[in-house]
């Protein structure tokens, strides 16, 4: 490693060991001692992707970039776990972009095989680790919410189906189905998705998107039947609500019921044109409050995989201390293992203190904190 390269380990809940500086070392971007929060990690990652895009653009155009340009090859060494490697994510994005841009157009049909290959790679790479910080998958911000939603749903599907020990072939088929589930929205006027008050026609179009997605996917050679069922069933709820009207919840397979849960969870926890993201734990609580809408076994499986307090949740304890969830106890989802980061006076602990709430009867979580 040369002099001007930096390798900094990011540890959630711990202060940064060294400054993160721009490539020319003229600007301190994040000061040493700053607490590494989920928010900081996400911001850094988003920003790194921006830097990479900028670098690629500069390579193409040969132009010098902004003053604060940071070398991607240095910063990618920041260590934090990802469900999907950068290389695979790019492959997925490309496959997804090509697929969505050719669907419904004249000429050769969309290339399902390329997208399938990318999904296979994601599934084979995906570590069977329930303590993966799920929210980090939301790194890439895409201009299109639909595209980002598709990508995220594909990754969550891989994570959850892997945790539930589905066979690899089914995981891949399900992940691909989740990436394609909103294909029908491509036929809806994008303006309708960004406004509060919809006309009768716009409402009908939106409520029809599962059907139009099903119809579009059906015509594409090689699309797995599961993708058709997920497309038509991803807004069909167990209590009879949702749409389309003529699709019966009981006619759908269990993975289509899981698709409903993943779709709602991703939607609740993502920034959208008309609504703000809520915390993963709040999304779980909101879904539990309306549990009659979901397949009970699938909802329980999903929460078991993601955790009631998902890994990376910041939690305030009855003692006043603040910790970050690092592992869930399958025996009791209310009592995860946490890493204490602040004492009752808001002072940072100098070193990492792990506490397994299962084994500490005098400590428990009283509320979650968005940030610290
Ligand atoms: Fe949808």
């Amino acid at each position: 490693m040369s002099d001007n390269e930096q390798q900094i380990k990011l540890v959630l809940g711990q202060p940064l060991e060294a400054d993160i500086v721009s490539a020319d070392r003229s600007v301190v971007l994040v000061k040493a001692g700053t607490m590494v929060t989920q928010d900081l990690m996400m911001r850094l990652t988003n920003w790194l992707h921006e830097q990479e895009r900028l670098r690629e653009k500069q390579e193409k155009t040969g132009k010098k970039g902004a003053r604060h340009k940071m070398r991607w090859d240095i910063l990618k060494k920041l260590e934090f776990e990802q469900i999907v490697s950068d290389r695979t994510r790019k492959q997925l994005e490309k496959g997804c972009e090509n697929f969505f841009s050719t669907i419904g157009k004249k000429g050769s049909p969309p290339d399902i095989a390329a997208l399938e290959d990318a999904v296979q790679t994601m599934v084979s790479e995906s570590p069977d680790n329930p303590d993966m910080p799920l929210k980090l998958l939301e790194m890439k911000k895409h201009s299109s919410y639909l595209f980002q939603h598709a990508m995220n749903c594909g990754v969550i599907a891989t994570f959850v189906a892997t945790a539930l020990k589905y066979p690899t072939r089914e995981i891949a088929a399900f992940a691909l189905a989740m990436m394609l589930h909103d294909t029908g929205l491509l036929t809806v006027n994008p303006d309708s998705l960004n406004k509060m008050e919809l006309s009768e026609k716009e409402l009908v179009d939106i409520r029809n998107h599962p059907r139009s997605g099903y119809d579009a996917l059906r015509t594409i050679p090689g699309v797995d039947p599961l993708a058709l069922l997920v497309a038509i069933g991803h807004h069909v709820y167990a209590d009879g609500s949702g749409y389309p009207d003529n699709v019966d919840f009981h006619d759908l397979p269990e993975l289509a019921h899981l698709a409903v849960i993943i779709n709602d969870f991703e939607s609740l926890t993502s920034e959208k044109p008309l609504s703000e993201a809520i915390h993963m734990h709040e999304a779980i609580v909101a879904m539990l409050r309306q549990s009659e809408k979901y397949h009970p076994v699938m909802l329980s499986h999903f929460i078991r995989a993601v955790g009631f307090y998902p890994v990376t949740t910041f939690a305030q304890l009855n003692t006043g201390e603040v910790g970050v969830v690092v592992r869930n106890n399958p025996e009791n989802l209310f009592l995860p293992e946490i890493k204490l980061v602040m004492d009752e006076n808001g002072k940072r602990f100098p070193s990492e203190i792990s506490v397994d709430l299962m084994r500490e009867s005098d400590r428990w979580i009283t509320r979650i904190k968005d940030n610290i």
Side-chain angles (χ1 to χ4, degrees):
M1 197 162 65
S2 70
D3 267 7
N4 60 347
E5 290 188 352
Q6 50 181 339
Q7 186 168 23
I8 299 169
K9 189 169 181 177
L10 289 181
V11 184
L12 206 59
Q14 290 288 309
L16 265 182
E17 289 169 355
D19 291 342
I20 296 181
V21 298
S22 60
D24 60 3
R25 300 200 155 256
S26 63
V27 182
V28 175
L29 296 154
V30 188
K31 281 190 174 171
T34 303
M35 183 66 84
V36 178
T37 60
Q38 187 187 354
D39 182 58
L40 173 66
M41 288 169 91
M42 282 178 63
R43 277 166 200 273
L44 271 174
T45 318
N46 280 334
W47 183 74
L48 291 176
H49 285 299
E50 283 306 314
Q51 295 300 309
E52 191 196 23
R53 263 199 291 276
L54 184 67
R55 183 181 66 79
E56 282 172 354
K57 202 170 145 197
Q58 281 162 4
E59 268 175 15
K60 272 188 204 150
T61 59
K63 283 182 190 161
K64 280 248 173 196
R67 180 165 165 257
H68 305 321
K69 176 170 90 71
M70 188 175 288
R71 283 172 55 182
W72 168 251
D73 58 346
I74 299 172
L75 278 161
K76 72 181 177 187
K77 288 180 185 156
L78 290 171
E79 291 175 31
F80 43 84
E81 289 185 291
Q82 294 180 40
I83 293 174
V84 179
S85 70
D86 291 328
R87 210 165 135 243
T88 307
R89 189 176 37 77
K90 275 192 177 167
Q91 199 190 339
L92 277 172
E93 280 170 13
K94 212 167 151 213
C96 204
E97 248 159 3
N98 285 344
F99 189 90
F100 284 154
S101 62
T102 46
I103 205 160
K105 305 246 166 76
K106 283 187 184 148
S108 47
D111 188 2
I112 189 81
L115 191 50
E116 248 166 9
D117 281 351
V119 169
Q120 289 285 4
T121 314
M122 167 169 73
V123 172
S124 64
E125 276 180 2
S126 176
D128 184 7
N129 176 7
D131 303 320
M132 189 71 71
L134 187 57
K135 201 59 181 174
L136 287 182
L137 61 93
E138 251 206 356
M139 297 170 295
K140 168 89 188 258
K141 294 280 176 209
H142 195 273
S143 52
S144 150
Y145 167 70
L146 203 56
F147 181 92
Q148 198 186 316
H149 176 61
M151 292 282 297
N152 283 347
C153 284
V155 182
I156 299 175
T158 304
F159 174 83
V160 175
T162 304
L164 299 182
K165 312 268 185 242
Y166 275 91
T168 310
R169 205 206 71 79
E170 266 187 88
I171 300 173
F174 182 48
L176 185 59
M178 282 312 299
M179 294 185 80
L180 305 180
H181 74 280
D182 263 340
T183 296
L185 280 179
L186 294 169
T187 59
V188 173
N189 180 353
D191 293 342
S192 321
L193 304 174
N194 298 332
K195 60 183 190 186
M196 293 294 257
E197 306 228 329
L198 296 170
S199 68
E200 192 83 358
K201 163 150 188 354
E202 286 170 324
L203 260 176
V204 169
D205 281 353
I206 287 181
R207 286 179 70 89
N208 196 41
H209 83 267
R211 170 74 60 194
S212 49
Y214 174 91
D215 289 341
L217 293 172
R218 207 166 47 147
T219 62
I220 301 168
V223 171
D224 193 289
L226 179 63
L228 305 181
L229 294 168
V230 165
I232 200 143
H234 72 275
H235 289 289
V236 175
Y237 293 113
D239 62 357
S241 61
Y243 52 88
D245 294 335
N246 51 357
V247 177
D248 190 327
F249 179 85
H250 303 284
D251 291 340
L252 294 166
E254 62 178 23
L255 281 175
H257 301 318
L258 184 57
V260 176
I261 295 166
I262 292 175
N263 180 51
D264 282 4
F265 177 78
E266 203 291 325
S267 235
L268 286 167
T269 55
S270 287
E271 231 32 82
K272 287 186 293 304
L274 295 178
S275 60
E276 294 208 338
I278 63 170
H279 190 278
M280 284 189 290
H281 168 74
E282 290 168 338
I284 299 274
V285 171
M287 290 167 79
L288 278 171
R289 279 202 195 111
Q290 301 188 66
S291 59
E292 69 284 355
K293 288 170 72 176
Y294 304 105
H295 187 289
V297 177
M298 283 293 131
L299 183 62
S300 153
H301 282 339
F302 177 80
I303 296 174
R304 213 145 263 290
V306 173
F308 183 68
Y309 295 107
V311 169
T312 71
T313 298
F314 280 92
Q316 174 122 31
L317 305 187
N318 60 312
T319 53
E321 298 159 316
V322 175
V324 59
V325 174
V326 292
R327 194 179 69 81
N328 274 287
N329 278 310
E331 302 86 354
N332 188 338
L333 293 178
F334 293 99
L335 298 174
E337 188 178 318
I338 61 166
K339 206 185 278 178
L340 290 180
V341 291
M342 274 184 188
D343 68 13
E344 62 277 21
N345 300 315
K347 218 174 134 207
R348 283 174 199 163
F349 285 108
S351 61
E352 188 179 303
I353 305 171
S354 282
V355 175
D356 188 347
L357 296 180
M358 278 275 281
R359 294 175 218 303
E360 296 245 352
S361 55
D362 52 353
R363 277 193 177 110
W364 59 87
I365 294 174
T366 52
R367 67 186 177 100
I368 63 150
K369 289 177 81 79
D370 270 349
N371 226 321
I372 54 172

PDB file of all heavy atoms in Angstrom, residues 202-230:
ATOM      1  N   GLU A 202     -56.009   6.761 -13.264  1.00  0.00           N
ATOM      2  CA  GLU A 202     -54.687   6.480 -12.698  1.00  0.00           C
ATOM      3  C   GLU A 202     -54.786   5.391 -11.616  1.00  0.00           C
ATOM      4  O   GLU A 202     -53.948   4.508 -11.527  1.00  0.00           O
ATOM      5  CB  GLU A 202     -54.079   7.755 -12.109  1.00  0.00           C
ATOM      6  CG  GLU A 202     -53.597   8.709 -13.197  1.00  0.00           C
ATOM      7  CD  GLU A 202     -53.214  10.074 -12.655  1.00  0.00           C
ATOM      8  OE1 GLU A 202     -53.878  10.551 -11.699  1.00  0.00           O
ATOM      9  OE2 GLU A 202     -52.274  10.676 -13.185  1.00  0.00           O
ATOM     10  N   LEU A 203     -55.850   5.489 -10.825  1.00  0.00           N
ATOM     11  CA  LEU A 203     -56.058   4.470  -9.783  1.00  0.00           C
ATOM     12  C   LEU A 203     -56.241   3.091 -10.395  1.00  0.00           C
ATOM     13  O   LEU A 203     -55.673   2.106  -9.932  1.00  0.00           O
ATOM     14  CB  LEU A 203     -57.310   4.814  -8.974  1.00  0.00           C
ATOM     15  CG  LEU A 203     -57.076   5.497  -7.634  1.00  0.00           C
ATOM     16  CD1 LEU A 203     -58.406   5.861  -6.993  1.00  0.00           C
ATOM     17  CD2 LEU A 203     -56.274   4.591  -6.699  1.00  0.00           C
ATOM     18  N   VAL A 204     -57.039   3.056 -11.464  1.00  0.00           N
ATOM     19  CA  VAL A 204     -57.291   1.774 -12.146  1.00  0.00           C
ATOM     20  C   VAL A 204     -55.981   1.224 -12.698  1.00  0.00           C
ATOM     21  O   VAL A 204     -55.669   0.041 -12.546  1.00  0.00           O
ATOM     22  CB  VAL A 204     -58.336   1.963 -13.279  1.00  0.00           C
ATOM     23  CG1 VAL A 204     -58.406   0.723 -14.167  1.00  0.00           C
ATOM     24  CG2 VAL A 204     -59.702   2.269 -12.678  1.00  0.00           C
ATOM     25  N   ASP A 205     -55.171   2.113 -13.309  1.00  0.00           N
ATOM     26  CA  ASP A 205     -53.885   1.671 -13.877  1.00  0.00           C
ATOM     27  C   ASP A 205     -52.984   1.084 -12.794  1.00  0.00           C
ATOM     28  O   ASP A 205     -52.349   0.053 -12.999  1.00  0.00           O
ATOM     29  CB  ASP A 205     -53.150   2.855 -14.529  1.00  0.00           C
ATOM     30  CG  ASP A 205     -53.725   3.161 -15.895  1.00  0.00           C
ATOM     31  OD1 ASP A 205     -54.574   2.379 -16.356  1.00  0.00           O
ATOM     32  OD2 ASP A 205     -53.323   4.175 -16.490  1.00  0.00           O
ATOM     33  N   ILE A 206     -52.929   1.767 -11.654  1.00  0.00           N
ATOM     34  CA  ILE A 206     -52.048   1.282 -10.582  1.00  0.00           C
ATOM     35  C   ILE A 206     -52.560  -0.051 -10.046  1.00  0.00           C
ATOM     36  O   ILE A 206     -51.791  -0.991  -9.845  1.00  0.00           O
ATOM     37  CB  ILE A 206     -51.912   2.344  -9.472  1.00  0.00           C
ATOM     38  CG1 ILE A 206     -51.027   3.481  -9.993  1.00  0.00           C
ATOM     39  CG2 ILE A 206     -51.309   1.734  -8.202  1.00  0.00           C
ATOM     40  CD1 ILE A 206     -50.764   4.593  -9.055  1.00  0.00           C
ATOM     41  N   ARG A 207     -53.857  -0.115  -9.842  1.00  0.00           N
ATOM     42  CA  ARG A 207     -54.403  -1.370  -9.314  1.00  0.00           C
ATOM     43  C   ARG A 207     -54.283  -2.514 -10.319  1.00  0.00           C
ATOM     44  O   ARG A 207     -54.352  -3.676  -9.962  1.00  0.00           O
ATOM     45  CB  ARG A 207     -55.874  -1.177  -8.905  1.00  0.00           C
ATOM     46  CG  ARG A 207     -56.023  -0.376  -7.629  1.00  0.00           C
ATOM     47  CD  ARG A 207     -57.477  -0.184  -7.290  1.00  0.00           C
ATOM     48  NE  ARG A 207     -58.130  -1.418  -6.863  1.00  0.00           N
ATOM     49  CZ  ARG A 207     -58.179  -1.856  -5.617  1.00  0.00           C
ATOM     50  NH1 ARG A 207     -57.603  -1.157  -4.661  1.00  0.00           N
ATOM     51  NH2 ARG A 207     -58.802  -2.969  -5.315  1.00  0.00           N
ATOM     52  N   ASN A 208     -54.064  -2.138 -11.561  1.00  0.00           N
ATOM     53  CA  ASN A 208     -53.942  -3.165 -12.593  1.00  0.00           C
ATOM     54  C   ASN A 208     -52.494  -3.612 -12.830  1.00  0.00           C
ATOM     55  O   ASN A 208     -52.250  -4.541 -13.590  1.00  0.00           O
ATOM     56  CB  ASN A 208     -54.530  -2.615 -13.911  1.00  0.00           C
ATOM     57  CG  ASN A 208     -54.784  -3.738 -14.891  1.00  0.00           C
ATOM     58  OD1 ASN A 208     -55.261  -4.803 -14.505  1.00  0.00           O
ATOM     59  ND2 ASN A 208     -54.408  -3.530 -16.141  1.00  0.00           N
ATOM     60  N   HIS A 209     -51.532  -2.966 -12.120  1.00  0.00           N
ATOM     61  CA  HIS A 209     -50.138  -3.267 -12.483  1.00  0.00           C
ATOM     62  C   HIS A 209     -49.731  -4.716 -12.198  1.00  0.00           C
ATOM     63  O   HIS A 209     -48.917  -5.278 -12.948  1.00  0.00           O
ATOM     64  CB  HIS A 209     -49.149  -2.251 -11.885  1.00  0.00           C
ATOM     65  CG  HIS A 209     -48.744  -2.503 -10.464  1.00  0.00           C
ATOM     66  ND1 HIS A 209     -49.390  -1.941  -9.396  1.00  0.00           N
ATOM     67  CD2 HIS A 209     -47.748  -3.258  -9.930  1.00  0.00           C
ATOM     68  CE1 HIS A 209     -48.816  -2.344  -8.276  1.00  0.00           C
ATOM     69  NE2 HIS A 209     -47.810  -3.137  -8.562  1.00  0.00           N
ATOM     70  N   PRO A 210     -50.292  -5.390 -11.175  1.00  0.00           N
ATOM     71  CA  PRO A 210     -49.918  -6.810 -11.033  1.00  0.00           C
ATOM     72  C   PRO A 210     -50.348  -7.629 -12.256  1.00  0.00           C
ATOM     73  O   PRO A 210     -49.615  -8.487 -12.737  1.00  0.00           O
ATOM     74  CB  PRO A 210     -50.672  -7.254  -9.778  1.00  0.00           C
ATOM     75  CG  PRO A 210     -50.883  -5.990  -8.991  1.00  0.00           C
ATOM     76  CD  PRO A 210     -51.131  -4.953 -10.035  1.00  0.00           C
ATOM     77  N   ARG A 211     -51.541  -7.315 -12.765  1.00  0.00           N
ATOM     78  CA  ARG A 211     -52.051  -8.043 -13.935  1.00  0.00           C
ATOM     79  C   ARG A 211     -51.221  -7.715 -15.171  1.00  0.00           C
ATOM     80  O   ARG A 211     -50.833  -8.613 -15.917  1.00  0.00           O
ATOM     81  CB  ARG A 211     -53.535  -7.657 -14.139  1.00  0.00           C
ATOM     82  CG  ARG A 211     -54.172  -8.112 -15.418  1.00  0.00           C
ATOM     83  CD  ARG A 211     -54.482  -9.592 -15.487  1.00  0.00           C
ATOM     84  NE  ARG A 211     -55.404 -10.029 -14.431  1.00  0.00           N
ATOM     85  CZ  ARG A 211     -55.617 -11.315 -14.124  1.00  0.00           C
ATOM     86  NH1 ARG A 211     -54.960 -12.259 -14.787  1.00  0.00           N
ATOM     87  NH2 ARG A 211     -56.448 -11.651 -13.168  1.00  0.00           N
ATOM     88  N   SER A 212     -50.929  -6.417 -15.394  1.00  0.00           N
ATOM     89  CA  SER A 212     -50.165  -6.085 -16.613  1.00  0.00           C
ATOM     90  C   SER A 212     -48.740  -6.626 -16.518  1.00  0.00           C
ATOM     91  O   SER A 212     -48.149  -7.003 -17.538  1.00  0.00           O
ATOM     92  CB  SER A 212     -50.203  -4.588 -16.930  1.00  0.00           C
ATOM     93  OG  SER A 212     -49.902  -3.841 -15.797  1.00  0.00           O
ATOM     94  N   GLY A 213     -48.186  -6.695 -15.297  1.00  0.00           N
ATOM     95  CA  GLY A 213     -46.859  -7.298 -15.129  1.00  0.00           C
ATOM     96  C   GLY A 213     -46.895  -8.772 -15.474  1.00  0.00           C
ATOM     97  O   GLY A 213     -46.029  -9.282 -16.192  1.00  0.00           O
ATOM     98  N   TYR A 214     -47.923  -9.431 -14.985  1.00  0.00           N
ATOM     99  CA  TYR A 214     -48.108 -10.863 -15.271  1.00  0.00           C
ATOM    100  C   TYR A 214     -48.197 -11.074 -16.790  1.00  0.00           C
ATOM    101  O   TYR A 214     -47.529 -11.936 -17.356  1.00  0.00           O
ATOM    102  CB  TYR A 214     -49.388 -11.331 -14.571  1.00  0.00           C
ATOM    103  CG  TYR A 214     -49.817 -12.745 -14.875  1.00  0.00           C
ATOM    104  CD1 TYR A 214     -49.380 -13.798 -14.073  1.00  0.00           C
ATOM    105  CD2 TYR A 214     -50.675 -13.026 -15.937  1.00  0.00           C
ATOM    106  CE1 TYR A 214     -49.793 -15.107 -14.339  1.00  0.00           C
ATOM    107  CE2 TYR A 214     -51.084 -14.317 -16.211  1.00  0.00           C
ATOM    108  CZ  TYR A 214     -50.642 -15.357 -15.412  1.00  0.00           C
ATOM    109  OH  TYR A 214     -51.035 -16.644 -15.676  1.00  0.00           O
ATOM    110  N   ASP A 215     -49.027 -10.244 -17.444  1.00  0.00           N
ATOM    111  CA  ASP A 215     -49.210 -10.396 -18.894  1.00  0.00           C
ATOM    112  C   ASP A 215     -47.913 -10.156 -19.652  1.00  0.00           C
ATOM    113  O   ASP A 215     -47.604 -10.869 -20.603  1.00  0.00           O
ATOM    114  CB  ASP A 215     -50.295  -9.423 -19.393  1.00  0.00           C
ATOM    115  CG  ASP A 215     -51.685  -9.855 -18.912  1.00  0.00           C
ATOM    116  OD1 ASP A 215     -51.830 -11.051 -18.538  1.00  0.00           O
ATOM    117  OD2 ASP A 215     -52.602  -9.006 -18.881  1.00  0.00           O
ATOM    118  N   ALA A 216     -47.161  -9.148 -19.211  1.00  0.00           N
ATOM    119  CA  ALA A 216     -45.907  -8.837 -19.916  1.00  0.00           C
ATOM    120  C   ALA A 216     -44.891  -9.957 -19.727  1.00  0.00           C
ATOM    121  O   ALA A 216     -44.246 -10.404 -20.687  1.00  0.00           O
ATOM    122  CB  ALA A 216     -45.330  -7.518 -19.397  1.00  0.00           C
ATOM    123  N   LEU A 217     -44.770 -10.442 -18.499  1.00  0.00           N
ATOM    124  CA  LEU A 217     -43.758 -11.477 -18.213  1.00  0.00           C
ATOM    125  C   LEU A 217     -44.092 -12.797 -18.903  1.00  0.00           C
ATOM    126  O   LEU A 217     -43.221 -13.560 -19.291  1.00  0.00           O
ATOM    127  CB  LEU A 217     -43.615 -11.684 -16.697  1.00  0.00           C
ATOM    128  CG  LEU A 217     -43.018 -10.506 -15.910  1.00  0.00           C
ATOM    129  CD1 LEU A 217     -43.112 -10.751 -14.405  1.00  0.00           C
ATOM    130  CD2 LEU A 217     -41.560 -10.268 -16.299  1.00  0.00           C
ATOM    131  N   ARG A 218     -45.408 -13.021 -19.041  1.00  0.00           N
ATOM    132  CA  ARG A 218     -45.855 -14.287 -19.634  1.00  0.00           C
ATOM    133  C   ARG A 218     -45.374 -14.449 -21.080  1.00  0.00           C
ATOM    134  O   ARG A 218     -45.193 -15.542 -21.564  1.00  0.00           O
ATOM    135  CB  ARG A 218     -47.384 -14.315 -19.602  1.00  0.00           C
ATOM    136  CG  ARG A 218     -47.956 -15.693 -19.551  1.00  0.00           C
ATOM    137  CD  ARG A 218     -49.390 -15.636 -19.182  1.00  0.00           C
ATOM    138  NE  ARG A 218     -50.091 -14.602 -19.973  1.00  0.00           N
ATOM    139  CZ  ARG A 218     -51.345 -14.696 -20.352  1.00  0.00           C
ATOM    140  NH1 ARG A 218     -52.049 -15.749 -20.025  1.00  0.00           N
ATOM    141  NH2 ARG A 218     -51.922 -13.733 -21.019  1.00  0.00           N
ATOM    142  N   THR A 219     -45.190 -13.317 -21.735  1.00  0.00           N
ATOM    143  CA  THR A 219     -44.813 -13.377 -23.159  1.00  0.00           C
ATOM    144  C   THR A 219     -43.300 -13.517 -23.342  1.00  0.00           C
ATOM    145  O   THR A 219     -42.828 -13.649 -24.462  1.00  0.00           O
ATOM    146  CB  THR A 219     -45.252 -12.080 -23.884  1.00  0.00           C
ATOM    147  OG1 THR A 219     -44.545 -10.994 -23.273  1.00  0.00           O
ATOM    148  CG2 THR A 219     -46.739 -11.848 -23.777  1.00  0.00           C
ATOM    149  N   ILE A 220     -42.556 -13.437 -22.250  1.00  0.00           N
ATOM    150  CA  ILE A 220     -41.091 -13.486 -22.384  1.00  0.00           C
ATOM    151  C   ILE A 220     -40.599 -14.922 -22.198  1.00  0.00           C
ATOM    152  O   ILE A 220     -40.856 -15.531 -21.150  1.00  0.00           O
ATOM    153  CB  ILE A 220     -40.422 -12.547 -21.352  1.00  0.00           C
ATOM    154  CG1 ILE A 220     -40.919 -11.115 -21.564  1.00  0.00           C
ATOM    155  CG2 ILE A 220     -38.901 -12.613 -21.460  1.00  0.00           C
ATOM    156  CD1 ILE A 220     -40.548 -10.176 -20.454  1.00  0.00           C
ATOM    157  N   PRO A 221     -39.911 -15.430 -23.200  1.00  0.00           N
ATOM    158  CA  PRO A 221     -39.466 -16.824 -23.087  1.00  0.00           C
ATOM    159  C   PRO A 221     -38.494 -16.995 -21.916  1.00  0.00           C
ATOM    160  O   PRO A 221     -37.643 -16.138 -21.673  1.00  0.00           O
ATOM    161  CB  PRO A 221     -38.736 -17.085 -24.420  1.00  0.00           C
ATOM    162  CG  PRO A 221     -39.024 -15.918 -25.293  1.00  0.00           C
ATOM    163  CD  PRO A 221     -39.494 -14.790 -24.456  1.00  0.00           C
ATOM    164  N   GLY A 222     -38.670 -18.086 -21.191  1.00  0.00           N
ATOM    165  CA  GLY A 222     -37.720 -18.425 -20.129  1.00  0.00           C
ATOM    166  C   GLY A 222     -38.064 -17.871 -18.761  1.00  0.00           C
ATOM    167  O   GLY A 222     -37.342 -18.127 -17.798  1.00  0.00           O
ATOM    168  N   VAL A 223     -39.145 -17.096 -18.634  1.00  0.00           N
ATOM    169  CA  VAL A 223     -39.492 -16.553 -17.308  1.00  0.00           C
ATOM    170  C   VAL A 223     -40.130 -17.665 -16.466  1.00  0.00           C
ATOM    171  O   VAL A 223     -41.078 -18.326 -16.900  1.00  0.00           O
ATOM    172  CB  VAL A 223     -40.444 -15.333 -17.435  1.00  0.00           C
ATOM    173  CG1 VAL A 223     -40.978 -14.914 -16.075  1.00  0.00           C
ATOM    174  CG2 VAL A 223     -39.719 -14.164 -18.079  1.00  0.00           C
ATOM    175  N   ASP A 224     -39.595 -17.851 -15.263  1.00  0.00           N
ATOM    176  CA  ASP A 224     -40.065 -18.908 -14.368  1.00  0.00           C
ATOM    177  C   ASP A 224     -41.523 -18.637 -13.947  1.00  0.00           C
ATOM    178  O   ASP A 224     -41.884 -17.487 -13.669  1.00  0.00           O
ATOM    179  CB  ASP A 224     -39.162 -18.911 -13.122  1.00  0.00           C
ATOM    180  CG  ASP A 224     -39.348 -20.149 -12.270  1.00  0.00           C
ATOM    181  OD1 ASP A 224     -40.414 -20.285 -11.623  1.00  0.00           O
ATOM    182  OD2 ASP A 224     -38.420 -20.980 -12.260  1.00  0.00           O
ATOM    183  N   PRO A 225     -42.347 -19.684 -13.872  1.00  0.00           N
ATOM    184  CA  PRO A 225     -43.752 -19.472 -13.459  1.00  0.00           C
ATOM    185  C   PRO A 225     -43.871 -18.768 -12.105  1.00  0.00           C
ATOM    186  O   PRO A 225     -44.833 -18.037 -11.858  1.00  0.00           O
ATOM    187  CB  PRO A 225     -44.302 -20.900 -13.361  1.00  0.00           C
ATOM    188  CG  PRO A 225     -43.400 -21.739 -14.196  1.00  0.00           C
ATOM    189  CD  PRO A 225     -42.069 -21.077 -14.225  1.00  0.00           C
ATOM    190  N   LEU A 226     -42.883 -18.955 -11.221  1.00  0.00           N
ATOM    191  CA  LEU A 226     -42.941 -18.283  -9.916  1.00  0.00           C
ATOM    192  C   LEU A 226     -42.975 -16.758 -10.089  1.00  0.00           C
ATOM    193  O   LEU A 226     -43.665 -16.051  -9.351  1.00  0.00           O
ATOM    194  CB  LEU A 226     -41.734 -18.689  -9.052  1.00  0.00           C
ATOM    195  CG  LEU A 226     -41.666 -18.038  -7.668  1.00  0.00           C
ATOM    196  CD1 LEU A 226     -42.863 -18.434  -6.792  1.00  0.00           C
ATOM    197  CD2 LEU A 226     -40.357 -18.382  -6.949  1.00  0.00           C
ATOM    198  N   ALA A 227     -42.231 -16.257 -11.091  1.00  0.00           N
ATOM    199  CA  ALA A 227     -42.195 -14.811 -11.326  1.00  0.00           C
ATOM    200  C   ALA A 227     -43.588 -14.304 -11.706  1.00  0.00           C
ATOM    201  O   ALA A 227     -43.997 -13.195 -11.318  1.00  0.00           O
ATOM    202  CB  ALA A 227     -41.185 -14.476 -12.411  1.00  0.00           C
ATOM    203  N   LEU A 228     -44.334 -15.126 -12.459  1.00  0.00           N
ATOM    204  CA  LEU A 228     -45.690 -14.722 -12.851  1.00  0.00           C
ATOM    205  C   LEU A 228     -46.595 -14.652 -11.622  1.00  0.00           C
ATOM    206  O   LEU A 228     -47.381 -13.716 -11.446  1.00  0.00           O
ATOM    207  CB  LEU A 228     -46.272 -15.721 -13.857  1.00  0.00           C
ATOM    208  CG  LEU A 228     -45.458 -15.990 -15.125  1.00  0.00           C
ATOM    209  CD1 LEU A 228     -46.184 -16.983 -16.022  1.00  0.00           C
ATOM    210  CD2 LEU A 228     -45.219 -14.700 -15.889  1.00  0.00           C
ATOM    211  N   LEU A 229     -46.457 -15.639 -10.738  1.00  0.00           N
ATOM    212  CA  LEU A 229     -47.318 -15.694  -9.546  1.00  0.00           C
ATOM    213  C   LEU A 229     -46.961 -14.583  -8.551  1.00  0.00           C
ATOM    214  O   LEU A 229     -47.840 -14.013  -7.908  1.00  0.00           O
ATOM    215  CB  LEU A 229     -47.205 -17.071  -8.883  1.00  0.00           C
ATOM    216  CG  LEU A 229     -47.756 -18.214  -9.748  1.00  0.00           C
ATOM    217  CD1 LEU A 229     -47.369 -19.570  -9.190  1.00  0.00           C
ATOM    218  CD2 LEU A 229     -49.282 -18.095  -9.861  1.00  0.00           C
ATOM    219  N   VAL A 230     -45.673 -14.281  -8.460  1.00  0.00           N
ATOM    220  CA  VAL A 230     -45.249 -13.195  -7.567  1.00  0.00           C
ATOM    221  C   VAL A 230     -45.741 -11.853  -8.137  1.00  0.00           C
ATOM    222  O   VAL A 230     -46.223 -10.989  -7.405  1.00  0.00           O
ATOM    223  CB  VAL A 230     -43.710 -13.206  -7.375  1.00  0.00           C
ATOM    224  CG1 VAL A 230     -43.205 -11.906  -6.765  1.00  0.00           C
ATOM    225  CG2 VAL A 230     -43.305 -14.384  -6.478  1.00  0.00           C
TER     226      VAL A 230
END
